[in-house]
Amino acid sequence: METSAILLCLLVAAPGLAFLTLSLSWLLGAELPEHWVTRLTRLTFAVSGGAFTALVVILAMQGEFRVSAHLGDWFRVHHYTFPLVLLSDSLSLPMLGLTILLTSLIAAFSKTYLHREAGFLRFYLQLHLYFFGALLVLAAGSFDLLIGGWELVGISSVLLIAFFENRTGPVRNAIRVFATYRTCDIGLLVGVFLMHRWADTATYSDLFSAGELHGTEAIIVALALLFAASGKSAQLPFSGWLPRAMEGPTPSSAIFYGAISVHLGAYLLLRAEPILLASPVSATCVVLVGGLTAMYGTLSSRTCSDAKTNLALAALSQLGLIFVEIGLGLTTLALFHMIGHAIVRTLHFLRAPSMLHDFHQLHSAAGGPLPVTGEHYDQWLPLRLRLWLYRFAMDRGHLDHLIDRCFADPLQRLSSWLAGPVAAPAPRTPQRALNNVAEGLD
Amino acid sequence: MHHDPREHVAHLVGHLAHYLPAQGPIGVFIHHNTLHAFENLPFEEGVVAAARLYGTEPFMSEAAYRRDLDRGRIQARDLDTVLAEEPNEPIIAGLDRRTLRRAMLLPGVREFDTGTVAWRLAEGDLATSVRPLAARALFDLCVKRSSDASEERRPAASARPLDNIVHPLLIRLCANYLDQGMAYWPMPNRALGFLGAVRELMSQPVFFAPHGLRGVAEAFRRQNGQDATAVLLSLLQELQVEDTEEFLRDELLALPGWAGLFHRLEEEPELAPYQHVRASLLDYLAVRVTLLAVATNDGDEGELPAVGAQRANPEGARLARAALLFDALSSLNFTADRLRSLSATDFARLEREVQACDGMERRRLFHLAYERRHETEILSPIAQHRGEAVTLPPTDEARPTAQVFFCIDEREESIRRHLEEVAPTVRTFGAAGFFGVAMHFTGIDDAHGAALCPVVVKPGHAIAEQPHAADEHLLGVRKARRRIWSQISHALYVSSRSLVRGWVSTALLGLFSLAPLITRVLAPRTAGRLRERLHEAFFPEPRTALAFASQEKVAGDPHHELDLGFTTQEKIDRVSGLLRGAGLVRNFSRIIVVLGHGSTSLNNPHESAHDCGACGGRRGGPNGRIFAAMANRPGVRAGLKAMGIEVPEDTWFVGGYHDTCSDLVELYDLDALPATHQGDLATIRGQLDRARALDAHERSRRFEAFEESRDANLALLHVEERAEHLAQPRPEYGHCTNAVCYVGRRDSLRGLFLDRRAFLVSYDATVDPDDTFLKRQLGAVILVCSGISLEYYFSFVDNEGYGCGTKLPHNITGLVGVMNGHASDLRTGLPWQMVEIHEPVRILFVIETTPVRLEATILSNPYNANLAKHRWIRLATLDPETGAVHVRRDHGYEPFVPEASGTPVVATSMDWYHGKRKHLPIAKIAAGAGKH
């Protein structure tokens, strides 16, 4: 194998190994002190970051930013094979670099932020799992492998939302996010299934080079992928989960919902660009979803008076724009936008707890009240409409209610009908203990 | 009982509002007794009553006290002392209550609950205990003879499923209504009040009504513009409420944080930091109950079934009672035969006594013992030390090289001690950090003035900082540039969150955020220094003076009805008041420094809680500065002389500021210092610099992130970084170690290591024959210190119930408070990171006076008298003549008998604390004893 391929494998594998080391030692009952966790984390990021830098240097000397690593097949059933293939090109390289940089900053930040917190180890465990997942999504050479990373990012995201597991709020919201993720994952699974069915492959190189998918087939696959991407990137109609994800510790909110995880949906679309742009129908759908989400995000964030949700919804409006850019075929712009946006939002999230301090400074420097906001385009709207819009935006477009009423409730009714009448659990009486006593008395 | 139902409801709500948290918008954090509403009950009863009402914990857990027992923090003799003060009576032949309780505490009984006792008996620890035949026989007999009794069950917090439907919407409405400028669109119609604004908004037609709230628009429309009371009255009828008081109380306490903020802002609208909003608790209730009624009519039971509601379990209850009896009797070596021989009445009495010493009662006793040990550990060394240094005041005292005033704050104890160690010829004093100067202050960089004085005082004077005539143009430049900076920053803030402008600032300019992101995370101190440099370069700083501080009063300010400046007589009153209160009336040094204090940190919504409480939760630098400016006035000096306080002409006062987070010490108006005093200044400046480094070092012993080293300068760098670190949830530990308040002469305690745990108030009873100054001191000191002590107590013993939990998920809302995540109650009280190393004890006041004088003084102030009577504070006296120590108990003042063990003696403070993280006992510091 070439050096560059080895480096690519190394940079993806490092956090996976770190996760395994931490989780194994935890399962074996070792209580790792904070500084050991920190040291291991530092080592992981040094390896990943070092491998990435070396890779970029080698590729730059070669003059071609493309490397792939074939690690053979995982398994083979009839004529289906699951190829373990990593690929890095001009699309995934910048994203890999961004992910490594921002995640390492978050890891450094969290060392201080979570110091002495009971869940310190658990946090880092999940951070490594997410990191591995994200690198896998970005470096996968086939959609089969991408699913693996996609799921790891999803589960670590859910677990970090429920980080404060002794409170009902975080757990309840995490379950809702989990349900949304799982629903949207159907899109990815179906998409990949159809790729295999119609093109006999889900490896990027084979899939795109031969132009295997055409016409309706391409549209259906593209829409399935759009469905999946919308879930991850909180596009309409799934946007309701994003504010709920603000229950976790601030650094995890930053890395997931400001920086990397929410952009993975957009990355998926960029990856599938040849399929997506094969027909105007799917491209239009992407533009439509993105455009509506952008409007939805900006409207909702306008009425949002808490620091983190405000940021999450503001991020949503930019994510919508990124989708629009992708749908219009402005790939390079979309990539730039993603990177710039991830950096800005990370800093915003990390500064969110300082907002009182910052506002105080702004006010005193202004020497009086700050300029009035909400009088920009808004002032041209009639008052009645503004009031209605406020109500609409404050309720986040009634999206959650819509999902509850049209989807969750019927599903719940269906499942309880399928399950039949549930017998009430018998109250657990201390019968056995009393029997013991009775025996003793005899 | 009011006949008019409208009045009745208003009265009830007004009364019930006392149970709500008294915390205002978080930008100005005032420490107060969390259970202020229960102060009319004795402490131990009050905390239990509150626990029942709120579903909280009144003491630490029994397991925590047992751990303290194991590590010697509570000792067996403390338990004996405590039990000896409790009423005793015989129970059965050969057993009295005291013996029984002693056995139930030590060796002790286990805690049993109805849910797990059966399992523990079947296969847990109880199964092991009853394996021996004798034990088995005793246990079986306990079960057989135990009576059935109804168990008391606390209300399950989440037994209100409709809250799950009502709260998300209600919280968003509250947050948006009270928002101080975070949302881009302010809530429309706020001038109509909460009910009016919500009604206008919720009456809008929508595509999908909120889940479980179908018909909410109609419900608000139907109200036809009625006021809150009328709405409440009709809803009470509609919901067929039987007990109005109970109903309203439950509704208020369902989201106490938000309800409490409405109440606070209704009482004091000026607490709102930037935008005044019309807040009314009745409005809040009307909205809340309207939503509740809609949810009730909708009939949807909420997302999840009620959790936490336990099923009745009479068998488990009976078993738990038997198990407790078994444990109690085993610890008394009771045999089954002896139990069998008890008559029915004897057994009933025994059982009653055992059950009366339940978990709550045991925790109460443990807590008293816990505090008793603390009292002994504090008072013994003080009594001993005072016994050795009886020649007070020292005769033919040499003139000190400098005198330094600090705030009474317990965080200043260490820097004072270090200063005394570094410079034995310096004397230090403690006075409430506003230094007697209550004022409405406006600095050159402030948009509005703020009251710098205790919250209970309303300032009558306004002071503004003004540039020197020569520097006026500089101020103009500064203001203009700062305004531009503010406009740019605000524009960037807004645009990065909007759609189109956001596209520009993320897609095109996003990469530029990389540099600040990396430096602020990886090199926070450097980033902070860099920002400071840029600040200095772009915003020229004019030399300033406090206008009217050194001139005569000019005219009243028509807006605030404040006097501008102070008249000479007012200045004399303030300066003499402080000096005499602190007992500094003679032997003045050539230079006297007056240091206010505050704290600066990032990523800390609770920043203000670390500022000076005596300055209303703000930074007290200007108070030190103005005090010094006043005291330097020749007219004031003449007035002082007339009062018999002769300040030599060569004495010069210098004001300053101490930052308790970064340990910065800044001195003001040094350009006015006479040339003759430059040498004195250089000396004290050097000594203060050394002392602040040592202070940083002593503080750093608590921080695990500081790698141990004896180099104090490294510690200074470390605390400076903490102040600038975006990720730092505990920039400083604040009042976390507060436990004691000493009011008396510094000389009586100088040279003792008090571990930053004691407020130090300078007071000299020998120059205060009629207790005028004692009254004045205690009037302020007890209120402030007990408020801090009790807030820390409750936030520690139940951090989720009384405090605001861990800071990590905190989310700033509307610039008025923090929520957990995206939709929770407003969290009040202190976060875990602020209290984690606290020892929950009621504050112990040690006052250098006689019991007779103290009692008269305490009784003369109704608030203090009530606190003392109901034991929310602990009081002791240190006789100014004899050094004898007395402790105030219910029956009167009791002479304190010191424990025999000697106080350790070490050369310097660092020798005592270095390498240790936990609280330390008092030690004698040889270097700190001072030279007289």
Side-chain angles (χ1 to χ4, degrees):
Chain A
M1 214 190 295
E2 294 170 54
T3 325
S4 51
I6 295 176
L7 286 172
L8 182 61
C9 296
L10 185 65
L11 83 88
V12 175
L17 289 175
F19 170 76
L20 283 182
T21 316
L22 282 179
S23 47
L24 272 181
S25 62
W26 193 23
L27 284 177
L28 293 175
E31 293 197 0
L32 281 187
E34 282 185 19
H35 64 269
W36 276 105
V37 178
T38 315
R39 255 176 231 178
L40 184 72
T41 305
R42 217 174 276 156
L43 180 72
T44 311
F45 283 100
V47 171
S48 268
F52 177 77
T53 318
L55 181 65
V56 171
V57 170
I58 290 177
L59 293 181
M61 288 195 307
Q62 285 175 359
E64 201 209 351
F65 285 98
R66 187 182 175 87
V67 55
S68 61
H70 294 272
L71 303 171
D73 293 336
W74 182 16
F75 59 86
R76 181 183 290 272
V77 183
H78 300 300
H79 59 277
Y80 171 77
T81 54
F82 191 114
L84 294 173
V85 51
L86 296 182
L87 170 84
S88 191
D89 54 13
S90 51
L91 170 62
S92 54
L93 265 181
M95 288 301 288
L96 280 174
L98 180 77
T99 305
I100 294 174
L101 176 71
L102 292 184
T103 313
S104 61
L105 284 175
I106 290 298
F109 184 91
S110 308
K111 170 184 155 246
T112 310
Y113 198 69
L114 277 106
H115 176 51
R116 288 176 66 87
E117 187 73 15
F120 188 89
L121 174 64
R122 191 156 47 90
F123 179 86
Y124 273 96
L125 209 60
Q126 286 156 12
L127 190 71
H128 283 299
L129 185 62
Y130 139 77
F131 189 35
F132 177 62
L135 293 181
L136 202 56
V137 168
L138 297 172
S142 76
F143 284 106
D144 312 68
L145 199 54
L146 183 141
I147 293 181
W150 191 267
E151 293 302 325
L152 290 183
V153 171
I155 192 68
S156 53
S157 151
V158 167
L159 288 176
L160 279 169
I161 295 168
F163 185 76
F164 299 100
E165 55 197 7
N166 53 344
R167 297 188 185 134
T168 47
V171 176
R172 190 175 293 187
N173 287 309
I175 291 174
R176 183 142 183 145
V177 176
F178 184 67
T180 314
Y181 275 171
R182 293 305 297 165
T183 308
C184 294
D185 288 347
I186 295 173
L188 193 54
L189 289 170
V190 168
V192 173
F193 171 78
L194 291 177
M195 284 176 206
H196 279 286
R197 173 133 192 107
W198 289 329
D200 277 331
T201 181
T203 312
Y204 304 154
S205 47
D206 301 341
L207 197 62
F208 302 143
S209 61
E212 295 269 5
L213 292 168
H214 305 283
T216 328
E217 293 176 359
I219 293 177
I220 293 175
V221 171
L223 290 183
L225 292 184
L226 174 62
F227 187 78
S230 301
K232 203 59 132 200
S233 291
Q235 303 292 300
L236 284 179
F238 308 108
S239 313
W241 68 262
L242 193 59
R244 293 170 184 269
M246 295 300 118
E247 299 283 353
T250 306
S252 71
S253 306
I255 192 66
F256 281 91
Y257 317 113
I260 303 302
S261 175
V262 282
H263 287 105
L264 288 181
Y267 174 81
L268 179 70
L269 293 187
L270 284 178
R271 239 324 141 215
E273 195 199 352
I275 309 177
L276 203 63
L277 300 183
S279 85
V281 178
S282 44
T284 314
C285 284
V286 175
V287 173
L288 213 62
V289 166
L292 286 174
T293 307
M295 287 311 294
Y296 170 83
T298 187
L299 270 181
S300 306
S301 81
R302 272 155 209 258
T303 60
C304 191
S305 56
D306 68 277
K308 282 171 79 177
T309 317
N310 189 303
L311 275 174
L313 291 170
L316 194 57
S317 60
Q318 295 305 313
L319 280 166
L321 288 185
I322 293 173
F323 269 54
V324 171
E325 289 157 6
I326 295 174
L328 294 176
L330 306 167
T331 328
T332 318
L333 176 65
L335 189 61
F336 253 92
H337 196 171
M338 276 160 75
I339 293 175
H341 184 238
I343 294 170
V344 170
R345 253 359 133 193
T346 307
L347 183 59
H348 280 172
F349 267 106
L350 296 188
R351 286 182 61 178
S354 307
M355 202 155 270
L356 277 176
H357 190 97
D358 293 347
F359 257 81
H360 183 74
Q361 304 269 329
L362 279 184
H363 265 270
S364 54
L370 292 171
V372 179
T373 54
E375 296 286 330
H376 205 232
Y377 323 107
D378 333 63
Q379 55 181 323
W380 307 109
L381 301 175
L383 269 179
R384 209 68 223 160
L385 182 61
R386 280 161 80 172
L387 191 59
W388 183 85
L389 264 182
Y390 188 94
R391 168 83 175 90
F392 179 79
M394 189 196 74
D395 210 17
R396 317 250 157 91
H398 321 305
L399 213 56
D400 276 4
H401 312 313
L402 185 129
I403 288 178
D404 281 344
R405 192 144 312 156
C406 304
F407 185 69
D409 286 354
L411 192 69
Q412 204 160 14
R413 272 197 295 276
L414 177 72
S415 51
S416 35
W417 178 78
L418 286 175
V422 183
R428 208 183 114 79
T429 49
Q431 202 54 51
R432 185 165 158 211
L434 286 179
N435 287 347
N436 286 355
V437 175
E439 283 161 26
L441 282 175
D442 286 342
Chain B
M1 191 69 199
H2 296 259
H3 294 291
D4 178 4
R6 287 181 61 90
E7 261 179 50
H8 179 58
V9 165
H11 172 81
L12 265 183
V13 172
H15 163 68
L16 292 169
H18 291 299
Y19 294 119
L20 294 172
Q23 184 173 317
I26 199 167
V28 176
F29 197 102
I30 308 294
H31 291 289
H32 65 282
N33 180 4
T34 315
L35 297 189
H36 179 66
F38 294 82
E39 276 170 0
N40 53 350
L41 291 174
F43 176 77
E44 298 105 282
E45 287 172 34
V47 293
V48 173
R52 230 170 253 137
L53 177 65
Y54 300 121
T56 46
E57 300 294 338
F59 306 107
M60 287 196 283
S61 66
E62 189 168 356
Y65 289 116
R66 290 216 168 272
R67 279 196 296 277
D68 286 325
L69 196 61
D70 290 341
R71 69 183 175 98
R73 174 60 183 77
I74 303 175
Q75 297 181 2
R77 50 191 158 161
D78 303 320
L79 290 172
D80 290 331
T81 320
V82 165
L83 286 172
E85 286 172 11
E86 299 279 319
N88 190 18
E89 63 181 62
I91 303 172
I92 51 173
L95 180 66
D96 60 6
R97 181 185 290 164
R98 191 168 296 160
T99 318
L100 173 71
R101 294 197 160 194
R102 174 68 162 75
M104 288 181 75
L105 294 173
L106 191 69
V109 292
R110 286 167 288 188
E111 294 171 271
F112 297 101
D113 61 78
T114 52
T116 59
V117 64
W119 178 82
R120 285 167 73 181
L121 178 60
E123 44 198 309
D125 56 337
L126 204 49
T128 322
S129 324
V130 297
R131 199 159 292 146
L133 281 179
R136 180 86 232 185
L138 181 64
F139 184 80
D140 292 345
L141 204 54
C142 286
V143 174
K144 196 176 165 195
R145 294 195 72 171
S146 273
S147 57
D148 288 317
S150 64
E151 45 173 335
E152 192 187 332
R153 211 173 306 137
R154 279 164 52 178
S158 47
R160 300 162 48 92
L162 289 184
D163 282 356
N164 291 335
I165 292 172
V166 171
H167 282 180
L169 178 61
L170 180 64
I171 288 168
R172 211 172 291 167
L173 288 169
C174 292
N176 287 10
Y177 182 75
L178 297 177
D179 178 28
Q180 298 287 304
M182 273 178 78
Y184 184 75
W185 281 344
M187 188 165 172
N189 298 315
R190 286 205 287 187
L192 299 176
F194 188 52
L195 180 61
V198 170
R199 191 182 285 151
E200 285 291 310
L201 197 61
M202 296 308 291
S203 307
Q204 295 298 310
V206 291
F207 302 128
F208 284 93
H211 198 239
L213 286 172
R214 270 167 297 196
V216 65
E218 295 76 49
F220 275 107
R221 261 179 244 141
R222 262 205 319 272
Q223 291 179 357
N224 256 336
Q226 284 174 314
D227 74 349
T229 320
V231 168
L232 267 181
L233 280 174
S234 63
L235 286 170
L236 286 173
Q237 227 162 25
E238 186 188 324
L239 290 168
Q240 297 171 347
V241 172
E242 281 164 15
D243 186 338
T244 312
E245 177 165 358
E246 192 188 323
F247 175 81
L248 290 177
R249 192 190 63 205
D250 288 352
E251 291 311 310
L252 281 177
L253 292 183
L255 285 177
W258 285 112
L261 188 61
F262 269 94
H263 178 57
R264 283 300 285 143
L265 288 174
E266 180 173 13
E267 281 186 321
E268 289 183 58
E270 64 272 23
L271 285 178
Y274 306 116
Q275 301 174 13
H276 282 200
V277 284
R278 257 180 66 190
S280 147
L281 193 57
L282 275 167
D283 269 6
Y284 167 81
L285 267 176
V287 171
R288 185 183 167 90
V289 180
T290 307
L291 294 178
L292 190 76
V294 175
T296 312
N297 292 336
D298 185 295
D300 195 322
E301 272 296 296
E303 289 181 42
L304 288 176
V307 244
Q310 292 173 358
R311 270 186 295 272
N313 181 358
E315 285 304 334
R318 181 154 176 244
L319 211 51
R321 288 165 62 83
L324 182 68
L325 184 61
F326 166 74
D327 261 16
L329 296 182
S330 312
S331 60
L332 286 164
N333 295 322
F334 241 66
T335 58
D337 291 337
R338 187 167 168 204
L339 184 61
R340 198 171 287 124
S341 67
L342 290 183
S343 70
T345 35
D346 275 358
F347 181 82
R349 203 177 303 124
L350 177 66
E351 193 190 17
R352 202 166 50 238
E353 284 291 333
V354 169
Q355 300 304 339
C357 190
D358 59 0
M360 194 67 90
E361 176 68 3
R362 295 195 299 274
R363 285 157 77 190
R364 179 182 77 87
L365 293 169
F366 271 129
H367 184 75
L368 292 177
Y370 181 83
E371 287 186 333
R372 188 56 82 105
R373 172 65 13 209
H374 174 254
E375 179 190 302
T376 312
E377 303 270 306
I378 296 296
L379 294 181
S380 288
I382 288 181
Q384 226 167 35
H385 182 75
R386 186 61 182 78
E388 288 159 16
V390 277
T391 51
L392 281 175
T395 44
D396 66 297
E397 211 178 350
R399 187 176 189 188
T401 52
Q403 282 152 336
V404 185
F405 274 89
F406 290 90
C407 182
I408 62 173
D409 202 297
E410 86 287 356
R411 289 170 293 175
E412 302 285 39
E413 188 267 336
S414 51
I415 190 172
R416 283 178 71 175
R417 173 160 36 77
H418 285 296
L419 181 61
E420 290 163 353
E421 283 178 40
V422 169
T425 54
V426 169
R427 296 188 67 197
T428 65
F429 296 85
F434 72 117
F435 301 115
V437 189
M439 61 174 175
H440 188 87
F441 177 79
T442 314
I444 51 164
D445 285 344
D446 294 340
H448 316 282
L452 294 184
C453 53
V455 274
V456 286
V457 181
K458 291 279 164 257
H461 303 266
I463 301 292
E465 185 185 21
Q466 293 201 336
H468 284 187
D471 286 0
E472 233 162 85
H473 67 286
L474 279 184
L475 181 64
V477 174
R478 181 182 176 88
K479 284 203 169 206
R481 288 193 186 164
R482 273 170 57 88
R483 206 169 298 132
I484 293 169
W485 172 79
S486 163
Q487 278 162 357
I488 294 175
S489 307
H490 187 248
L492 284 178
Y493 170 86
V494 172
S495 65
S496 65
R497 284 160 167 77
S498 63
L499 185 66
V500 180
R501 285 171 285 169
W503 181 83
V504 178
S505 49
T506 57
L508 303 184
L509 308 174
L511 281 174
F512 291 104
S513 290
L514 200 55
L517 177 64
I518 293 178
T519 47
R520 296 194 77 162
V521 172
L522 296 182
R525 199 173 155 271
T526 316
R529 289 286 160 280
L530 194 67
R531 258 200 328 277
E532 221 165 77
R533 288 279 158 71
L534 288 174
H535 232 259
E536 280 163 16
F538 283 102
F539 307 135
E541 194 172 335
R543 288 167 301 156
T544 61
L546 299 181
F548 308 112
S550 47
Q551 291 154 29
E552 296 315 313
K553 175 155 132 179
V554 180
D557 170 353
H559 301 296
H560 294 90
E561 293 175 357
L562 298 176
D563 293 333
L564 291 177
F566 297 94
T567 64
T568 302
Q569 190 52 49
E570 284 166 346
K571 288 176 195 142
I572 296 169
D573 290 345
R574 277 156 186 78
V575 175
S576 67
L578 187 85
L579 295 178
R580 284 172 64 176
L584 177 60
V585 289
R586 51 186 197 85
N587 205 11
F588 292 89
S589 56
R590 277 171 57 82
I591 192 162
I592 298 180
V593 182
V594 186
L595 288 178
H597 75 102
S599 171
T600 318
S601 52
L602 294 179
N603 192 345
N604 188 9
H606 294 81
E607 188 182 8
S608 160
H610 291 147
D611 281 337
C612 182
C615 297
R618 297 192 168 84
R619 292 173 199 142
N623 295 73
R625 186 177 179 193
I626 195 169
F627 182 87
M630 286 179 174
N632 284 333
R633 297 286 299 160
V636 173
R637 295 285 178 90
L640 290 176
K641 193 170 179 180
M643 298 172 81
I645 306 176
E646 196 148 344
V647 184
E649 276 187 15
D650 66 351
T651 292
W652 192 261
F653 287 80
V654 176
Y657 168 75
H658 174 217
D659 192 303
T660 52
C661 185
S662 67
D663 262 314
L664 163 95
V665 172
E666 200 181 355
L667 299 180
Y668 298 128
D669 295 331
L670 296 180
D671 46 350
L673 187 79
T676 48
H677 284 66
Q678 294 297 342
D680 300 284
L681 175 72
T683 313
I684 188 68
R685 176 78 256 188
Q687 289 161 343
L688 279 169
D689 280 341
R690 181 66 190 149
R692 73 189 178 98
L694 286 166
D695 185 46
H697 190 258
E698 181 172 335
R699 286 172 52 209
S700 296
R701 82 181 182 88
R702 301 278 194 177
F703 301 138
E704 283 166 26
F706 178 65
E707 284 177 27
E708 273 176 31
S709 149
R710 285 184 80 95
D711 186 349
N713 291 320
L714 286 182
L716 199 54
L717 292 182
H718 179 74
V719 298
E720 282 171 5
E721 182 183 290
R722 290 184 98 87
E724 296 282 358
H725 208 317
L726 273 185
Q728 186 52 264
R730 33 180 100 63
E732 62 161 293
Y733 265 129
H735 292 289
C736 202
T737 48
N738 84 82
V740 176
C741 176
Y742 169 69
V743 183
R745 289 167 298 181
R746 176 63 179 156
D747 287 326
S748 304
L749 256 55
R750 184 166 176 173
L752 286 186
F753 178 91
L754 297 174
D755 200 17
R756 294 168 60 82
R757 306 196 66 193
F759 294 86
L760 296 176
V761 188
S762 288
Y763 164 74
D764 189 346
T766 60
V767 296
D768 183 29
D770 52 2
D771 293 334
T772 320
F773 288 99
L774 186 61
K775 262 181 209 138
R776 200 182 292 173
Q777 297 278 31
L778 293 189
V781 162
I782 291 187
L783 177 73
V784 171
C785 298
S786 69
I788 293 173
S789 145
L790 291 165
E791 176 143 55
Y792 270 82
Y793 177 95
F794 292 113
S795 287
F796 182 85
V797 296
D798 191 345
N799 193 240
E800 285 297 336
Y802 291 126
C804 56
T806 169
K807 270 173 141 173
L808 306 195
H810 281 181
N811 179 12
I812 294 181
T813 302
L815 303 173
V816 291
V818 292
M819 300 191 296
N820 274 342
H822 81 298
S824 86
D825 191 16
L826 211 54
R827 302 301 310 262
T828 56
L830 303 174
W832 177 245
Q833 282 82 355
M834 266 175 84
V835 301
E836 61 183 355
I837 60 167
H838 186 59
E839 275 201 340
V841 291
R842 287 169 276 174
I843 193 160
L844 172 63
F845 285 91
V846 183
I847 296 162
E848 195 179 34
T849 186
T850 61
V852 177
R853 290 171 71 178
L854 176 63
E855 193 61 15
T857 313
I858 289 283
L859 292 182
S860 70
N861 178 321
Y863 182 74
N864 289 349
N866 183 56
L867 279 190
K869 178 181 160 209
H870 289 138
R871 302 186 296 272
W872 291 78
I873 54 174
R874 297 177 292 159
L875 287 164
T877 59
L878 177 67
D879 194 297
E881 306 294 332
T882 65
V885 174
H886 287 80
V887 184
R888 189 181 193 276
R889 309 260 183 239
D890 280 349
H891 52 267
Y893 285 79
E894 188 181 274
F896 174 77
V897 186
E899 267 181 11
S901 57
T903 318
V905 183
V906 285
T908 64
S909 290
M910 199 190 285
D911 291 334
W912 184 235
Y913 69 73
H914 187 63
K916 300 171 190 150
R917 285 221 196 286
K918 306 254 185 252
H919 297 306
L920 291 174
I922 294 181
K924 277 189 190 187
I925 310 296
K931 291 188 184 121
H932 302 303

